[in-house]
Amino acid sequence: MEQKIENEDKIKEGNMNDQINIEYQQNNNDEESNGEFGKYKPEILNVSNEYSEYDINFKIIVIGNSGVGKTCITNQAIKGVFCDQYQATIGMEIFSLFVKLNNKIIKLQIWDTCGQEIYRSLITNFYRSSSLAIIVYSIDQRSSFEDLDLWIKELKLYNSPDTKLILVGNKKDLEEKREIAYSEGEKFVKDYGFLDFFETSAKTGENIRKMFIKVAIVLYEEHIRYKDEDESSGSFSSYNPAKPSRLSKTQVMKKGKKKKKCCM
């Protein structure tokens, strides 16, 4: 079911293009269309935040130190824009990114968190029921890399210990200021069992789309796997309030109707 959002003074809906008609962003990346993602023919849709014609909804949490570029990454993915004037996120912002995989439309509900210590107790309340976490550091800021351990421990404390993780080293365009080698990020991912590792640039857009498409594919494939298991067993065992919801809107509506019928 859709998440009920409270503390609206701390949470702002990400503004997108107001248009409702689908416009497909032209895919100029051969690797996305013909490479490892080729079988899905992935496309990021340019639609409004209120677009409702999607098949599956997943909650994604983006965490990391303040100033590493979490909001810039999200804005680049959704709007294709970059702002070089830093403004700290206050509390939480929520954005929606729609990815088409063949004939299915996946909604990624992206919870962009602040990294400031004073808001830490607030944002931990929103970790729950996340299907996947994107943990971000900046390649030119050693402290942001060293704090990754703390973010992981906090995430596993307030969400499922089995939450899927993707590591992102942002600000790849600042190569001359690099403090963390690519090999360090690779090692960290192997040591902690992350799904994948990307070095990105929110400024140039490098690897931003690719990273979110990978997120959509990973979660979609898991959804299919759980769905197949449920159908073979004749149950809805994958739907557990303690775990990230993998039900489509149609499945949720069917479950709701069943409950209503039982109470009559």
mmCIF file with all atom_site columns, all heavy atoms in Angstrom, residues 56-60 106-111 129-132 215-216 218-223 244-247:
data_model
loop_
_atom_site.group_PDB
_atom_site.id
_atom_site.type_symbol
_atom_site.label_atom_id
_atom_site.label_alt_id
_atom_site.label_comp_id
_atom_site.label_asym_id
_atom_site.label_entity_id
_atom_site.label_seq_id
_atom_site.pdbx_PDB_ins_code
_atom_site.Cartn_x
_atom_site.Cartn_y
_atom_site.Cartn_z
_atom_site.occupancy
_atom_site.B_iso_or_equiv
_atom_site.pdbx_formal_charge
_atom_site.auth_seq_id
_atom_site.auth_comp_id
_atom_site.auth_asym_id
_atom_site.auth_atom_id
_atom_site.pdbx_PDB_model_num
ATOM 1   N N   . ILE A 1 56  ? 4.150  -1.513  -10.166 1.00 0.00 ? 56  ILE A N   1
ATOM 2   C CA  . ILE A 1 56  ? 4.728  -1.881  -8.875  1.00 0.00 ? 56  ILE A CA  1
ATOM 3   C C   . ILE A 1 56  ? 5.385  -0.657  -8.264  1.00 0.00 ? 56  ILE A C   1
ATOM 4   O O   . ILE A 1 56  ? 5.975  0.166   -8.975  1.00 0.00 ? 56  ILE A O   1
ATOM 5   C CB  . ILE A 1 56  ? 5.789  -3.001  -9.017  1.00 0.00 ? 56  ILE A CB  1
ATOM 6   C CG1 . ILE A 1 56  ? 5.276  -4.132  -9.905  1.00 0.00 ? 56  ILE A CG1 1
ATOM 7   C CG2 . ILE A 1 56  ? 6.174  -3.564  -7.647  1.00 0.00 ? 56  ILE A CG2 1
ATOM 8   C CD1 . ILE A 1 56  ? 6.351  -5.105  -10.330 1.00 0.00 ? 56  ILE A CD1 1
ATOM 9   N N   . ASN A 1 57  ? 5.295  -0.544  -6.950  1.00 0.00 ? 57  ASN A N   1
ATOM 10  C CA  . ASN A 1 57  ? 5.874  0.594   -6.242  1.00 0.00 ? 57  ASN A CA  1
ATOM 11  C C   . ASN A 1 57  ? 6.902  0.095   -5.222  1.00 0.00 ? 57  ASN A C   1
ATOM 12  O O   . ASN A 1 57  ? 6.621  -0.822  -4.447  1.00 0.00 ? 57  ASN A O   1
ATOM 13  C CB  . ASN A 1 57  ? 4.763  1.368   -5.522  1.00 0.00 ? 57  ASN A CB  1
ATOM 14  C CG  . ASN A 1 57  ? 5.290  2.517   -4.698  1.00 0.00 ? 57  ASN A CG  1
ATOM 15  O OD1 . ASN A 1 57  ? 6.264  3.171   -5.068  1.00 0.00 ? 57  ASN A OD1 1
ATOM 16  N ND2 . ASN A 1 57  ? 4.657  2.771   -3.570  1.00 0.00 ? 57  ASN A ND2 1
ATOM 17  N N   . PHE A 1 58  ? 8.105  0.687   -5.236  1.00 0.00 ? 58  PHE A N   1
ATOM 18  C CA  . PHE A 1 58  ? 9.141  0.331   -4.273  1.00 0.00 ? 58  PHE A CA  1
ATOM 19  C C   . PHE A 1 58  ? 9.636  1.592   -3.561  1.00 0.00 ? 58  PHE A C   1
ATOM 20  O O   . PHE A 1 58  ? 9.820  2.640   -4.187  1.00 0.00 ? 58  PHE A O   1
ATOM 21  C CB  . PHE A 1 58  ? 10.344 -0.332  -4.963  1.00 0.00 ? 58  PHE A CB  1
ATOM 22  C CG  . PHE A 1 58  ? 10.033 -1.643  -5.622  1.00 0.00 ? 58  PHE A CG  1
ATOM 23  C CD1 . PHE A 1 58  ? 9.986  -1.745  -7.001  1.00 0.00 ? 58  PHE A CD1 1
ATOM 24  C CD2 . PHE A 1 58  ? 9.788  -2.781  -4.868  1.00 0.00 ? 58  PHE A CD2 1
ATOM 25  C CE1 . PHE A 1 58  ? 9.701  -2.950  -7.623  1.00 0.00 ? 58  PHE A CE1 1
ATOM 26  C CE2 . PHE A 1 58  ? 9.501  -3.995  -5.469  1.00 0.00 ? 58  PHE A CE2 1
ATOM 27  C CZ  . PHE A 1 58  ? 9.452  -4.077  -6.855  1.00 0.00 ? 58  PHE A CZ  1
ATOM 28  N N   . LYS A 1 59  ? 9.868  1.461   -2.281  1.00 0.00 ? 59  LYS A N   1
ATOM 29  C CA  . LYS A 1 59  ? 10.413 2.569   -1.498  1.00 0.00 ? 59  LYS A CA  1
ATOM 30  C C   . LYS A 1 59  ? 11.932 2.466   -1.451  1.00 0.00 ? 59  LYS A C   1
ATOM 31  O O   . LYS A 1 59  ? 12.490 1.439   -1.058  1.00 0.00 ? 59  LYS A O   1
ATOM 32  C CB  . LYS A 1 59  ? 9.849  2.544   -0.076  1.00 0.00 ? 59  LYS A CB  1
ATOM 33  C CG  . LYS A 1 59  ? 10.435 3.625   0.835   1.00 0.00 ? 59  LYS A CG  1
ATOM 34  C CD  . LYS A 1 59  ? 9.872  3.499   2.246   1.00 0.00 ? 59  LYS A CD  1
ATOM 35  C CE  . LYS A 1 59  ? 10.562 4.474   3.206   1.00 0.00 ? 59  LYS A CE  1
ATOM 36  N NZ  . LYS A 1 59  ? 10.050 4.360   4.585   1.00 0.00 ? 59  LYS A NZ  1
ATOM 37  N N   . ILE A 1 60  ? 12.603 3.546   -1.835  1.00 0.00 ? 60  ILE A N   1
ATOM 38  C CA  . ILE A 1 60  ? 14.063 3.613   -1.846  1.00 0.00 ? 60  ILE A CA  1
ATOM 39  C C   . ILE A 1 60  ? 14.499 4.705   -0.882  1.00 0.00 ? 60  ILE A C   1
ATOM 40  O O   . ILE A 1 60  ? 13.950 5.815   -0.900  1.00 0.00 ? 60  ILE A O   1
ATOM 41  C CB  . ILE A 1 60  ? 14.598 3.970   -3.253  1.00 0.00 ? 60  ILE A CB  1
ATOM 42  C CG1 . ILE A 1 60  ? 13.957 3.089   -4.333  1.00 0.00 ? 60  ILE A CG1 1
ATOM 43  C CG2 . ILE A 1 60  ? 16.117 3.870   -3.281  1.00 0.00 ? 60  ILE A CG2 1
ATOM 44  C CD1 . ILE A 1 60  ? 14.208 1.627   -4.156  1.00 0.00 ? 60  ILE A CD1 1
ATOM 45  N N   . ILE A 1 106 ? 7.726  0.639   -13.350 1.00 0.00 ? 106 ILE A N   1
ATOM 46  C CA  . ILE A 1 106 ? 8.125  0.549   -11.951 1.00 0.00 ? 106 ILE A CA  1
ATOM 47  C C   . ILE A 1 106 ? 8.208  1.953   -11.356 1.00 0.00 ? 106 ILE A C   1
ATOM 48  O O   . ILE A 1 106 ? 8.854  2.834   -11.928 1.00 0.00 ? 106 ILE A O   1
ATOM 49  C CB  . ILE A 1 106 ? 9.510  -0.132  -11.818 1.00 0.00 ? 106 ILE A CB  1
ATOM 50  C CG1 . ILE A 1 106 ? 9.587  -1.405  -12.678 1.00 0.00 ? 106 ILE A CG1 1
ATOM 51  C CG2 . ILE A 1 106 ? 9.831  -0.402  -10.362 1.00 0.00 ? 106 ILE A CG2 1
ATOM 52  C CD1 . ILE A 1 106 ? 8.552  -2.445  -12.371 1.00 0.00 ? 106 ILE A CD1 1
ATOM 53  N N   . LYS A 1 107 ? 7.554  2.141   -10.229 1.00 0.00 ? 107 LYS A N   1
ATOM 54  C CA  . LYS A 1 107 ? 7.652  3.415   -9.524  1.00 0.00 ? 107 LYS A CA  1
ATOM 55  C C   . LYS A 1 107 ? 8.666  3.282   -8.393  1.00 0.00 ? 107 LYS A C   1
ATOM 56  O O   . LYS A 1 107 ? 8.510  2.445   -7.504  1.00 0.00 ? 107 LYS A O   1
ATOM 57  C CB  . LYS A 1 107 ? 6.294  3.831   -8.937  1.00 0.00 ? 107 LYS A CB  1
ATOM 58  C CG  . LYS A 1 107 ? 6.360  5.121   -8.120  1.00 0.00 ? 107 LYS A CG  1
ATOM 59  C CD  . LYS A 1 107 ? 5.004  5.471   -7.521  1.00 0.00 ? 107 LYS A CD  1
ATOM 60  C CE  . LYS A 1 107 ? 5.076  6.732   -6.664  1.00 0.00 ? 107 LYS A CE  1
ATOM 61  N NZ  . LYS A 1 107 ? 3.768  7.107   -6.066  1.00 0.00 ? 107 LYS A NZ  1
ATOM 62  N N   . LEU A 1 108 ? 9.706  4.100   -8.454  1.00 0.00 ? 108 LEU A N   1
ATOM 63  C CA  . LEU A 1 108 ? 10.664 4.168   -7.365  1.00 0.00 ? 108 LEU A CA  1
ATOM 64  C C   . LEU A 1 108 ? 10.327 5.400   -6.535  1.00 0.00 ? 108 LEU A C   1
ATOM 65  O O   . LEU A 1 108 ? 10.494 6.535   -6.985  1.00 0.00 ? 108 LEU A O   1
ATOM 66  C CB  . LEU A 1 108 ? 12.095 4.258   -7.899  1.00 0.00 ? 108 LEU A CB  1
ATOM 67  C CG  . LEU A 1 108 ? 12.576 3.099   -8.782  1.00 0.00 ? 108 LEU A CG  1
ATOM 68  C CD1 . LEU A 1 108 ? 14.011 3.348   -9.239  1.00 0.00 ? 108 LEU A CD1 1
ATOM 69  C CD2 . LEU A 1 108 ? 12.464 1.766   -8.056  1.00 0.00 ? 108 LEU A CD2 1
ATOM 70  N N   . GLN A 1 109 ? 9.820  5.181   -5.338  1.00 0.00 ? 109 GLN A N   1
ATOM 71  C CA  . GLN A 1 109 ? 9.530  6.289   -4.428  1.00 0.00 ? 109 GLN A CA  1
ATOM 72  C C   . GLN A 1 109 ? 10.809 6.555   -3.637  1.00 0.00 ? 109 GLN A C   1
ATOM 73  O O   . GLN A 1 109 ? 11.186 5.792   -2.762  1.00 0.00 ? 109 GLN A O   1
ATOM 74  C CB  . GLN A 1 109 ? 8.373  5.925   -3.496  1.00 0.00 ? 109 GLN A CB  1
ATOM 75  C CG  . GLN A 1 109 ? 7.886  7.097   -2.655  1.00 0.00 ? 109 GLN A CG  1
ATOM 76  C CD  . GLN A 1 109 ? 6.796  6.677   -1.689  1.00 0.00 ? 109 GLN A CD  1
ATOM 77  O OE1 . GLN A 1 109 ? 7.066  5.942   -0.751  1.00 0.00 ? 109 GLN A OE1 1
ATOM 78  N NE2 . GLN A 1 109 ? 5.584  7.148   -1.906  1.00 0.00 ? 109 GLN A NE2 1
ATOM 79  N N   . ILE A 1 110 ? 11.483 7.646   -3.986  1.00 0.00 ? 110 ILE A N   1
ATOM 80  C CA  . ILE A 1 110 ? 12.818 7.925   -3.464  1.00 0.00 ? 110 ILE A CA  1
ATOM 81  C C   . ILE A 1 110 ? 12.722 8.868   -2.269  1.00 0.00 ? 110 ILE A C   1
ATOM 82  O O   . ILE A 1 110 ? 12.279 10.006  -2.394  1.00 0.00 ? 110 ILE A O   1
ATOM 83  C CB  . ILE A 1 110 ? 13.707 8.544   -4.560  1.00 0.00 ? 110 ILE A CB  1
ATOM 84  C CG1 . ILE A 1 110 ? 13.737 7.613   -5.784  1.00 0.00 ? 110 ILE A CG1 1
ATOM 85  C CG2 . ILE A 1 110 ? 15.112 8.797   -4.044  1.00 0.00 ? 110 ILE A CG2 1
ATOM 86  C CD1 . ILE A 1 110 ? 14.384 8.247   -7.004  1.00 0.00 ? 110 ILE A CD1 1
ATOM 87  N N   . TRP A 1 111 ? 13.153 8.388   -1.116  1.00 0.00 ? 111 TRP A N   1
ATOM 88  C CA  . TRP A 1 111 ? 13.160 9.182   0.109   1.00 0.00 ? 111 TRP A CA  1
ATOM 89  C C   . TRP A 1 111 ? 14.566 9.754   0.284   1.00 0.00 ? 111 TRP A C   1
ATOM 90  O O   . TRP A 1 111 ? 15.492 9.051   0.690   1.00 0.00 ? 111 TRP A O   1
ATOM 91  C CB  . TRP A 1 111 ? 12.755 8.323   1.301   1.00 0.00 ? 111 TRP A CB  1
ATOM 92  C CG  . TRP A 1 111 ? 11.328 7.858   1.250   1.00 0.00 ? 111 TRP A CG  1
ATOM 93  C CD1 . TRP A 1 111 ? 10.710 7.225   0.210   1.00 0.00 ? 111 TRP A CD1 1
ATOM 94  C CD2 . TRP A 1 111 ? 10.339 7.991   2.276   1.00 0.00 ? 111 TRP A CD2 1
ATOM 95  N NE1 . TRP A 1 111 ? 9.399  6.951   0.522   1.00 0.00 ? 111 TRP A NE1 1
ATOM 96  C CE2 . TRP A 1 111 ? 9.146  7.406   1.785   1.00 0.00 ? 111 TRP A CE2 1
ATOM 97  C CE3 . TRP A 1 111 ? 10.351 8.531   3.560   1.00 0.00 ? 111 TRP A CE3 1
ATOM 98  C CZ2 . TRP A 1 111 ? 7.972  7.364   2.537   1.00 0.00 ? 111 TRP A CZ2 1
ATOM 99  C CZ3 . TRP A 1 111 ? 9.186  8.482   4.318   1.00 0.00 ? 111 TRP A CZ3 1
ATOM 100 C CH2 . TRP A 1 111 ? 8.016  7.912   3.803   1.00 0.00 ? 111 TRP A CH2 1
ATOM 101 N N   . SER A 1 129 ? 10.543 -0.227  6.149   1.00 0.00 ? 129 SER A N   1
ATOM 102 C CA  . SER A 1 129 ? 9.872  -0.703  4.934   1.00 0.00 ? 129 SER A CA  1
ATOM 103 C C   . SER A 1 129 ? 10.561 -0.268  3.647   1.00 0.00 ? 129 SER A C   1
ATOM 104 O O   . SER A 1 129 ? 9.945  -0.273  2.587   1.00 0.00 ? 129 SER A O   1
ATOM 105 C CB  . SER A 1 129 ? 8.401  -0.253  4.902   1.00 0.00 ? 129 SER A CB  1
ATOM 106 O OG  . SER A 1 129 ? 7.695  -0.793  5.993   1.00 0.00 ? 129 SER A OG  1
ATOM 107 N N   . SER A 1 130 ? 11.821 0.118   3.727   1.00 0.00 ? 130 SER A N   1
ATOM 108 C CA  . SER A 1 130 ? 12.575 0.438   2.516   1.00 0.00 ? 130 SER A CA  1
ATOM 109 C C   . SER A 1 130 ? 12.956 -0.849  1.803   1.00 0.00 ? 130 SER A C   1
ATOM 110 O O   . SER A 1 130 ? 13.456 -1.792  2.420   1.00 0.00 ? 130 SER A O   1
ATOM 111 C CB  . SER A 1 130 ? 13.843 1.224   2.860   1.00 0.00 ? 130 SER A CB  1
ATOM 112 O OG  . SER A 1 130 ? 13.535 2.431   3.500   1.00 0.00 ? 130 SER A OG  1
ATOM 113 N N   . SER A 1 131 ? 12.727 -0.892  0.510   1.00 0.00 ? 131 SER A N   1
ATOM 114 C CA  . SER A 1 131 ? 13.106 -2.061  -0.274  1.00 0.00 ? 131 SER A CA  1
ATOM 115 C C   . SER A 1 131 ? 14.601 -2.089  -0.541  1.00 0.00 ? 131 SER A C   1
ATOM 116 O O   . SER A 1 131 ? 15.205 -3.161  -0.650  1.00 0.00 ? 131 SER A O   1
ATOM 117 C CB  . SER A 1 131 ? 12.355 -2.071  -1.608  1.00 0.00 ? 131 SER A CB  1
ATOM 118 O OG  . SER A 1 131 ? 10.965 -2.139  -1.414  1.00 0.00 ? 131 SER A OG  1
ATOM 119 N N   . LEU A 1 132 ? 15.202 -0.895  -0.635  1.00 0.00 ? 132 LEU A N   1
ATOM 120 C CA  . LEU A 1 132 ? 16.626 -0.798  -0.973  1.00 0.00 ? 132 LEU A CA  1
ATOM 121 C C   . LEU A 1 132 ? 17.167 0.532   -0.472  1.00 0.00 ? 132 LEU A C   1
ATOM 122 O O   . LEU A 1 132 ? 16.448 1.526   -0.433  1.00 0.00 ? 132 LEU A O   1
ATOM 123 C CB  . LEU A 1 132 ? 16.802 -0.926  -2.484  1.00 0.00 ? 132 LEU A CB  1
ATOM 124 C CG  . LEU A 1 132 ? 18.214 -0.879  -3.065  1.00 0.00 ? 132 LEU A CG  1
ATOM 125 C CD1 . LEU A 1 132 ? 18.325 -1.823  -4.277  1.00 0.00 ? 132 LEU A CD1 1
ATOM 126 C CD2 . LEU A 1 132 ? 18.590 0.538   -3.505  1.00 0.00 ? 132 LEU A CD2 1
ATOM 127 N N   . VAL A 1 215 ? 18.714 -0.374  -9.985  1.00 0.00 ? 215 VAL A N   1
ATOM 128 C CA  . VAL A 1 215 ? 17.853 -0.501  -8.804  1.00 0.00 ? 215 VAL A CA  1
ATOM 129 C C   . VAL A 1 215 ? 16.488 -1.058  -9.203  1.00 0.00 ? 215 VAL A C   1
ATOM 130 O O   . VAL A 1 215 ? 15.968 -1.993  -8.583  1.00 0.00 ? 215 VAL A O   1
ATOM 131 C CB  . VAL A 1 215 ? 17.690 0.866   -8.104  1.00 0.00 ? 215 VAL A CB  1
ATOM 132 C CG1 . VAL A 1 215 ? 16.567 0.805   -7.069  1.00 0.00 ? 215 VAL A CG1 1
ATOM 133 C CG2 . VAL A 1 215 ? 18.993 1.284   -7.434  1.00 0.00 ? 215 VAL A CG2 1
ATOM 134 N N   . ALA A 1 216 ? 15.897 -0.473  -10.254 1.00 0.00 ? 216 ALA A N   1
ATOM 135 C CA  . ALA A 1 216 ? 14.570 -0.910  -10.698 1.00 0.00 ? 216 ALA A CA  1
ATOM 136 C C   . ALA A 1 216 ? 14.583 -2.371  -11.136 1.00 0.00 ? 216 ALA A C   1
ATOM 137 O O   . ALA A 1 216 ? 13.676 -3.149  -10.799 1.00 0.00 ? 216 ALA A O   1
ATOM 138 C CB  . ALA A 1 216 ? 14.083 -0.023  -11.847 1.00 0.00 ? 216 ALA A CB  1
ATOM 139 N N   . VAL A 1 218 ? 16.767 -4.811  -10.265 1.00 0.00 ? 218 VAL A N   1
ATOM 140 C CA  . VAL A 1 218 ? 17.005 -5.696  -9.112  1.00 0.00 ? 218 VAL A CA  1
ATOM 141 C C   . VAL A 1 218 ? 15.712 -5.928  -8.328  1.00 0.00 ? 218 VAL A C   1
ATOM 142 O O   . VAL A 1 218 ? 15.368 -7.067  -7.989  1.00 0.00 ? 218 VAL A O   1
ATOM 143 C CB  . VAL A 1 218 ? 18.089 -5.103  -8.189  1.00 0.00 ? 218 VAL A CB  1
ATOM 144 C CG1 . VAL A 1 218 ? 18.084 -5.791  -6.831  1.00 0.00 ? 218 VAL A CG1 1
ATOM 145 C CG2 . VAL A 1 218 ? 19.464 -5.224  -8.829  1.00 0.00 ? 218 VAL A CG2 1
ATOM 146 N N   . LEU A 1 219 ? 14.981 -4.863  -8.053  1.00 0.00 ? 219 LEU A N   1
ATOM 147 C CA  . LEU A 1 219 ? 13.763 -4.984  -7.264  1.00 0.00 ? 219 LEU A CA  1
ATOM 148 C C   . LEU A 1 219 ? 12.651 -5.665  -8.054  1.00 0.00 ? 219 LEU A C   1
ATOM 149 O O   . LEU A 1 219 ? 11.861 -6.444  -7.491  1.00 0.00 ? 219 LEU A O   1
ATOM 150 C CB  . LEU A 1 219 ? 13.307 -3.605  -6.787  1.00 0.00 ? 219 LEU A CB  1
ATOM 151 C CG  . LEU A 1 219 ? 14.257 -2.919  -5.809  1.00 0.00 ? 219 LEU A CG  1
ATOM 152 C CD1 . LEU A 1 219 ? 13.755 -1.526  -5.448  1.00 0.00 ? 219 LEU A CD1 1
ATOM 153 C CD2 . LEU A 1 219 ? 14.446 -3.750  -4.547  1.00 0.00 ? 219 LEU A CD2 1
ATOM 154 N N   . TYR A 1 220 ? 12.588 -5.394  -9.344  1.00 0.00 ? 220 TYR A N   1
ATOM 155 C CA  . TYR A 1 220 ? 11.575 -6.041  -10.181 1.00 0.00 ? 220 TYR A CA  1
ATOM 156 C C   . TYR A 1 220 ? 11.826 -7.547  -10.254 1.00 0.00 ? 220 TYR A C   1
ATOM 157 O O   . TYR A 1 220 ? 10.890 -8.348  -10.142 1.00 0.00 ? 220 TYR A O   1
ATOM 158 C CB  . TYR A 1 220 ? 11.591 -5.436  -11.581 1.00 0.00 ? 220 TYR A CB  1
ATOM 159 C CG  . TYR A 1 220 ? 10.660 -6.130  -12.553 1.00 0.00 ? 220 TYR A CG  1
ATOM 160 C CD1 . TYR A 1 220 ? 9.280  -6.088  -12.375 1.00 0.00 ? 220 TYR A CD1 1
ATOM 161 C CD2 . TYR A 1 220 ? 11.176 -6.834  -13.633 1.00 0.00 ? 220 TYR A CD2 1
ATOM 162 C CE1 . TYR A 1 220 ? 8.423  -6.728  -13.264 1.00 0.00 ? 220 TYR A CE1 1
ATOM 163 C CE2 . TYR A 1 220 ? 10.326 -7.477  -14.525 1.00 0.00 ? 220 TYR A CE2 1
ATOM 164 C CZ  . TYR A 1 220 ? 8.953  -7.419  -14.335 1.00 0.00 ? 220 TYR A CZ  1
ATOM 165 O OH  . TYR A 1 220 ? 8.109  -8.060  -15.213 1.00 0.00 ? 220 TYR A OH  1
ATOM 166 N N   . GLU A 1 221 ? 13.081 -7.949  -10.434 1.00 0.00 ? 221 GLU A N   1
ATOM 167 C CA  . GLU A 1 221 ? 13.400 -9.375  -10.509 1.00 0.00 ? 221 GLU A CA  1
ATOM 168 C C   . GLU A 1 221 ? 13.091 -10.082 -9.192  1.00 0.00 ? 221 GLU A C   1
ATOM 169 O O   . GLU A 1 221 ? 12.625 -11.225 -9.188  1.00 0.00 ? 221 GLU A O   1
ATOM 170 C CB  . GLU A 1 221 ? 14.865 -9.553  -10.903 1.00 0.00 ? 221 GLU A CB  1
ATOM 171 C CG  . GLU A 1 221 ? 15.142 -9.183  -12.352 1.00 0.00 ? 221 GLU A CG  1
ATOM 172 C CD  . GLU A 1 221 ? 16.592 -9.389  -12.753 1.00 0.00 ? 221 GLU A CD  1
ATOM 173 O OE1 . GLU A 1 221 ? 17.461 -9.449  -11.854 1.00 0.00 ? 221 GLU A OE1 1
ATOM 174 O OE2 . GLU A 1 221 ? 16.852 -9.467  -13.968 1.00 0.00 ? 221 GLU A OE2 1
ATOM 175 N N   . GLU A 1 222 ? 13.349 -9.395  -8.082  1.00 0.00 ? 222 GLU A N   1
ATOM 176 C CA  . GLU A 1 222 ? 13.013 -9.988  -6.789  1.00 0.00 ? 222 GLU A CA  1
ATOM 177 C C   . GLU A 1 222 ? 11.504 -10.127 -6.632  1.00 0.00 ? 222 GLU A C   1
ATOM 178 O O   . GLU A 1 222 ? 11.004 -11.131 -6.102  1.00 0.00 ? 222 GLU A O   1
ATOM 179 C CB  . GLU A 1 222 ? 13.578 -9.143  -5.649  1.00 0.00 ? 222 GLU A CB  1
ATOM 180 C CG  . GLU A 1 222 ? 13.344 -9.802  -4.295  1.00 0.00 ? 222 GLU A CG  1
ATOM 181 C CD  . GLU A 1 222 ? 13.712 -8.910  -3.132  1.00 0.00 ? 222 GLU A CD  1
ATOM 182 O OE1 . GLU A 1 222 ? 13.221 -7.772  -3.100  1.00 0.00 ? 222 GLU A OE1 1
ATOM 183 O OE2 . GLU A 1 222 ? 14.492 -9.342  -2.283  1.00 0.00 ? 222 GLU A OE2 1
ATOM 184 N N   . HIS A 1 223 ? 10.776 -9.113  -7.084  1.00 0.00 ? 223 HIS A N   1
ATOM 185 C CA  . HIS A 1 223 ? 9.312  -9.151  -7.032  1.00 0.00 ? 223 HIS A CA  1
ATOM 186 C C   . HIS A 1 223 ? 8.778  -10.352 -7.817  1.00 0.00 ? 223 HIS A C   1
ATOM 187 O O   . HIS A 1 223 ? 7.898  -11.080 -7.338  1.00 0.00 ? 223 HIS A O   1
ATOM 188 C CB  . HIS A 1 223 ? 8.749  -7.849  -7.616  1.00 0.00 ? 223 HIS A CB  1
ATOM 189 C CG  . HIS A 1 223 ? 7.271  -7.890  -7.872  1.00 0.00 ? 223 HIS A CG  1
ATOM 190 N ND1 . HIS A 1 223 ? 6.341  -7.702  -6.888  1.00 0.00 ? 223 HIS A ND1 1
ATOM 191 C CD2 . HIS A 1 223 ? 6.577  -8.116  -9.017  1.00 0.00 ? 223 HIS A CD2 1
ATOM 192 C CE1 . HIS A 1 223 ? 5.124  -7.801  -7.400  1.00 0.00 ? 223 HIS A CE1 1
ATOM 193 N NE2 . HIS A 1 223 ? 5.240  -8.054  -8.689  1.00 0.00 ? 223 HIS A NE2 1
ATOM 194 N N   . PRO A 1 244 ? 9.724  -4.996  3.048   1.00 0.00 ? 244 PRO A N   1
ATOM 195 C CA  . PRO A 1 244 ? 9.313  -4.068  2.008   1.00 0.00 ? 244 PRO A CA  1
ATOM 196 C C   . PRO A 1 244 ? 8.164  -4.640  1.186   1.00 0.00 ? 244 PRO A C   1
ATOM 197 O O   . PRO A 1 244 ? 8.171  -5.817  0.830   1.00 0.00 ? 244 PRO A O   1
ATOM 198 C CB  . PRO A 1 244 ? 10.589 -3.918  1.160   1.00 0.00 ? 244 PRO A CB  1
ATOM 199 C CG  . PRO A 1 244 ? 11.695 -4.258  2.087   1.00 0.00 ? 244 PRO A CG  1
ATOM 200 C CD  . PRO A 1 244 ? 11.149 -5.315  2.993   1.00 0.00 ? 244 PRO A CD  1
ATOM 201 N N   . SER A 1 245 ? 7.149  -3.811  0.895   1.00 0.00 ? 245 SER A N   1
ATOM 202 C CA  . SER A 1 245 ? 6.011  -4.269  0.118   1.00 0.00 ? 245 SER A CA  1
ATOM 203 C C   . SER A 1 245 ? 6.407  -4.502  -1.326  1.00 0.00 ? 245 SER A C   1
ATOM 204 O O   . SER A 1 245 ? 7.015  -3.653  -1.952  1.00 0.00 ? 245 SER A O   1
ATOM 205 C CB  . SER A 1 245 ? 4.880  -3.225  0.177   1.00 0.00 ? 245 SER A CB  1
ATOM 206 O OG  . SER A 1 245 ? 3.833  -3.599  -0.679  1.00 0.00 ? 245 SER A OG  1
ATOM 207 N N   . ARG A 1 246 ? 6.036  -5.646  -1.841  1.00 0.00 ? 246 ARG A N   1
ATOM 208 C CA  . ARG A 1 246 ? 6.324  -5.949  -3.234  1.00 0.00 ? 246 ARG A CA  1
ATOM 209 C C   . ARG A 1 246 ? 5.037  -6.125  -4.027  1.00 0.00 ? 246 ARG A C   1
ATOM 210 O O   . ARG A 1 246 ? 5.025  -6.634  -5.133  1.00 0.00 ? 246 ARG A O   1
ATOM 211 C CB  . ARG A 1 246 ? 7.171  -7.226  -3.332  1.00 0.00 ? 246 ARG A CB  1
ATOM 212 C CG  . ARG A 1 246 ? 8.497  -7.121  -2.594  1.00 0.00 ? 246 ARG A CG  1
ATOM 213 C CD  . ARG A 1 246 ? 9.266  -8.417  -2.713  1.00 0.00 ? 246 ARG A CD  1
ATOM 214 N NE  . ARG A 1 246 ? 10.537 -8.331  -2.020  1.00 0.00 ? 246 ARG A NE  1
ATOM 215 C CZ  . ARG A 1 246 ? 10.707 -8.603  -0.738  1.00 0.00 ? 246 ARG A CZ  1
ATOM 216 N NH1 . ARG A 1 246 ? 9.667  -8.947  -0.015  1.00 0.00 ? 246 ARG A NH1 1
ATOM 217 N NH2 . ARG A 1 246 ? 11.904 -8.514  -0.183  1.00 0.00 ? 246 ARG A NH2 1
ATOM 218 N N   . LEU A 1 247 ? 3.901  -5.775  -3.434  1.00 0.00 ? 247 LEU A N   1
ATOM 219 C CA  . LEU A 1 247 ? 2.637  -5.968  -4.115  1.00 0.00 ? 247 LEU A CA  1
ATOM 220 C C   . LEU A 1 247 ? 2.349  -4.841  -5.081  1.00 0.00 ? 247 LEU A C   1
ATOM 221 O O   . LEU A 1 247 ? 2.625  -3.683  -4.808  1.00 0.00 ? 247 LEU A O   1
ATOM 222 C CB  . LEU A 1 247 ? 1.496  -6.037  -3.097  1.00 0.00 ? 247 LEU A CB  1
ATOM 223 C CG  . LEU A 1 247 ? 1.457  -7.277  -2.197  1.00 0.00 ? 247 LEU A CG  1
ATOM 224 C CD1 . LEU A 1 247 ? 0.251  -7.187  -1.293  1.00 0.00 ? 247 LEU A CD1 1
ATOM 225 C CD2 . LEU A 1 247 ? 1.389  -8.537  -3.025  1.00 0.00 ? 247 LEU A CD2 1
#
